[in-house]
Amino acid sequence: MMPGTTAAVLGALVLLGAGCGAEETVKEPRNTPATPHVEVDALSGRPNPGWDLPQADADEIAALIEALPAGTESAAADDAGGLGFRGFVLTDLRLPRHPEHDRVRVGVDVVRIETGDVTLALPDDHGSVHAALRAKARTRLPEPLYRAIPENRQ
């Protein structure tokens, strides 16, 4: 080796090692969309069960909602009260016609899109959104809780 080569190699290794510390954290990529999530609003005093929607399921649900007829606006509705099933609550679901919504609440025959202080109620006379979410809940919930979700009106 040439004189000074060992020192140069050691210096380069020290510089390389400085950027490889175990304390370095990996950051999430910016602007990564959140994963759509479904919550079954059915329990009182305990966290409600829920699951993340795979992208294909999220696209299906979004398309069903987007196909519903125009709705009526009202002041933000309070969370549905009472015992038992109160609806499905969706967060981070991308809806092209309603890009700024906070959450979507799905009942048997109505879909409520909540944005700030305003709720848009879309009639779902055939219960298509509710039926699709209920079908997806079948493999995700314990049987007694699944049975507590009402079936659509035929």
Side-chain angles (χ1 to χ4, degrees):
M1 261 193 214
M2 298 186 67
T5 303
T6 304
V9 170
L10 286 175
L13 288 174
V14 168
L15 287 175
L16 284 173
C20 296
E23 295 154 15
E24 185 176 334
T25 58
V26 176
K27 295 183 180 179
E28 292 288 323
R30 290 186 180 190
N31 300 325
T32 301
T35 302
H37 186 78
V38 178
E39 178 182 312
V40 180
D41 190 5
L43 302 178
S44 298
R46 296 185 305 183
N48 287 310
W51 68 93
D52 289 340
L53 276 176
Q55 193 58 54
D57 290 351
D59 292 345
E60 174 191 349
I61 299 300
L64 289 170
I65 292 171
E66 296 285 55
L68 294 175
T72 56
E73 273 189 20
S74 64
D78 293 331
D79 285 344
L83 298 175
F85 179 76
R86 293 176 296 273
F88 293 100
V89 178
L90 297 111
T91 52
D92 299 313
L93 181 67
R94 288 185 292 276
L95 297 173
R97 288 186 357 203
H98 310 283
E100 301 298 322
H101 72 279
D102 298 320
R103 66 182 179 171
V104 176
R105 192 174 272 282
V106 177
V108 173
D109 58 3
V110 67
V111 173
R112 290 183 173 81
I113 300 174
E114 300 175 1
T115 307
D117 294 336
V118 176
T119 295
L120 180 62
L122 307 175
D124 186 6
D125 295 336
H126 300 289
S128 59
V129 181
H130 176 270
L133 287 168
R134 187 175 191 272
K136 292 174 189 331
R138 176 133 187 110
T139 60
R140 308 227 186 250
L141 299 176
E143 186 65 25
L145 184 54
Y146 172 75
R147 281 184 282 149
I149 299 171
E151 292 185 39
N152 290 13
R153 292 175 256 202
Q154 302 294 332

